[in-house]
Amino acid sequence: MAAANSVVEPLVGAVDQGTSSTRFLVFNSKTAEVISHHQVEVKLQYPKEGWVEQDPEEILRSVCECIEKTCEKLGQLNVDVSRIKALGVTNQRETTVVWDKVTGEPLSNALVWLDLRTQSTVEALSKEIPANNNFVKAKTGLPLSTYFSAVKLRWLLDNALRVQKAVEEKRALFGTVDSWLIWSLTGGVRGGVHCTDVTNASRTMIFNIHSLQWDPELCDFFGIPMDILPHVRSSSEIYGLVKTGPLEGVPLSGCLGDQSAALVGQMCFRDGQAKNTYGTGCFLLCNTGRKCVASEHGLLTTVAYKLGRDQPANYALEGSVAIAGAVVSWLRDNLGIIKEVGDIEKLARDAGTSYDCYFVPAFSGLYAPYWDPSARGIICGLTQFTNKCHLAFAALEAVCFQTREILDAMNRDCGIPLSHLQVDGGMTSNKVLMQLQADILCIPVVRPCMPETTALGAAMAAGAAEGVGVWRLEDRDADGVPTERFEPQINAEESRCRYATWKKAVMKSIGWVTTQAAGEGDSSVFCSLPLGFFIVTSMVMLIGARYMTDFP
């Protein structure tokens, strides 16, 4: 944290709207130091098995609260809020919002990127794509999956009466979370700007990443009216001015999906530079420059950033893992084996090993490199000796194994293996996890000492925008950023053996449920019972068997 009372440089604010929380941070534009910040938790709702929703109004309120509280803190530090010269937004991607442009009200809850309700939609649409002409992937760089926004929007158009009516009456607007926030902050029903940036648009599955425009053929394929779509802009330009609150009149001039923002914040501006972000999910991006590199190993091709209206777009290969930090929350909320997220580090350290227990946290199916929505979470190798410490260690190890899978795929696609991995995100404060990651990858893991790289990327884009010009991107270089380095401490053969055993567990998780079993509760519903049920039942049986031997 910078010495706030001595700040005389221009400041830049960044809204970081994530899956589980919203934060607002204010940076010194010359040093990239955080001056002040505030964070608010945002609730996830699970109305049915596989459904994941959020209240768009709650998301917006959390943003406004974070801005107000941070500005109050700045006042307490004798920092003039008028020194904030620009505002950037970074957001959870793919989460889908539809709202009424006349009333400003959301027409349904937001469908979160983890939501699985669209699996039957995906299966039906996949039958309409010619086997020899996957035009969806060719244009978007994405596989047909429940992950992306187009199928979520299709589901709302088919099932939400308020959405259907608003579309018919030309009142509906669609957007990912960035669009909803930008529209609301720049005036909403009183002239709000309906736009998105290329990085968020590239995650919808209706955006052509080659032409950088909404694609009429894709919109027709998904049955999505183009008049509800936001205007697509670059990641760094003035979209409009904030119309209310303590930042009224400040240009809103930066927008990046969270993983692209982290890539920028880590200064991965050169071809071949990569970063891995450990949040609710886990996302490894490698900058491929101005080339769209098509993956042959289960990765996504996506837009990395476009830093200015007249600047070219840079692309990236991405490996997406659905469950990373979410597995720790699950151990806390569903099993109750920890009270706070940070407790898992001590449990794992106490164990020192998983004792041959392997965890595959496929709660929302498997993303890269499998793209199998029918997979479900499993734990293998339970014995009478297994305890909560071993489960904690196995959970952290699972995050690392998933990262190795996508790193291996990326190395095969790029042809040049990474010599080290740059990391960021909330989970990287866990030193046990970071050491495990280095051990499992057999390469060093490098963590920046300033962990707020996602918000920093949004601030950089906002401050560098034409018409703002308080941040010079060329002045910053990843080589000059203070870091902490974790070196591998086990031999490569041990790492290989542990990884191979985990892959056996992954194979057992694949194809676990059918669409009918997951959605309709037929005779196969046993397959979709919560993972916690099986863990607790297995442990009870093991303990019971142990004590039964003490009786005649």
Side-chain angles (χ1 to χ4, degrees), residues 98-128:
V98 182
W99 67 95
D100 190 318
K101 66 182 177 182
V102 177
T103 67
E105 296 178 350
L107 295 165
S108 75
N109 272 347
L111 305 194
V112 176
W113 56 278
L114 288 164
D115 191 280
L116 288 175
R117 77 186 68 185
T118 57
Q119 181 52 31
S120 59
T121 305
V122 168
E123 290 176 359
L125 288 170
S126 66
K127 296 174 184 177
E128 300 179 22

Side-chain angles (χ1 to χ4, degrees), residues 90 256-268 275-277 283 285 422 424-425 452-458:
T90 182
L256 290 154
D258 51 8
Q259 305 313 317
S260 289
L263 195 73
V264 172
Q266 288 259 34
M267 274 71 77
C268 294
K275 68 86 205 174
N276 196 34
T277 298
F283 304 89
L285 268 69
Q422 293 175 230
D424 59 74
E452 307 292 355
T453 54
T454 302
L456 176 60

Side-chain angles (χ1 to χ4, degrees), residues 203-217:
R203 313 297 296 188
T204 59
M205 222 161 38
I206 51 175
F207 182 74
N208 189 314
I209 61 174
H210 308 286
S211 67
L212 301 181
Q213 295 177 345
W214 299 121
D215 191 281
E217 182 184 16

Side-chain angles (χ1 to χ4, degrees), residues 444-494:
V445 168
V446 181
R447 179 181 69 183
C449 293
M450 201 292 288
E452 307 292 355
T453 54
T454 302
L456 176 60
M460 291 166 65
E466 182 181 354
V468 178
V470 299
W471 207 303
R472 290 173 57 84
L473 299 181
E474 58 270 25
D475 289 346
R476 296 191 56 76
D477 191 311
D479 296 334
V481 176
T483 60
E484 184 174 5
R485 193 176 179 94
F486 297 83
E487 299 284 347
Q489 294 181 356
I490 65 173
N491 63 57
E493 180 58 21
E494 180 182 350

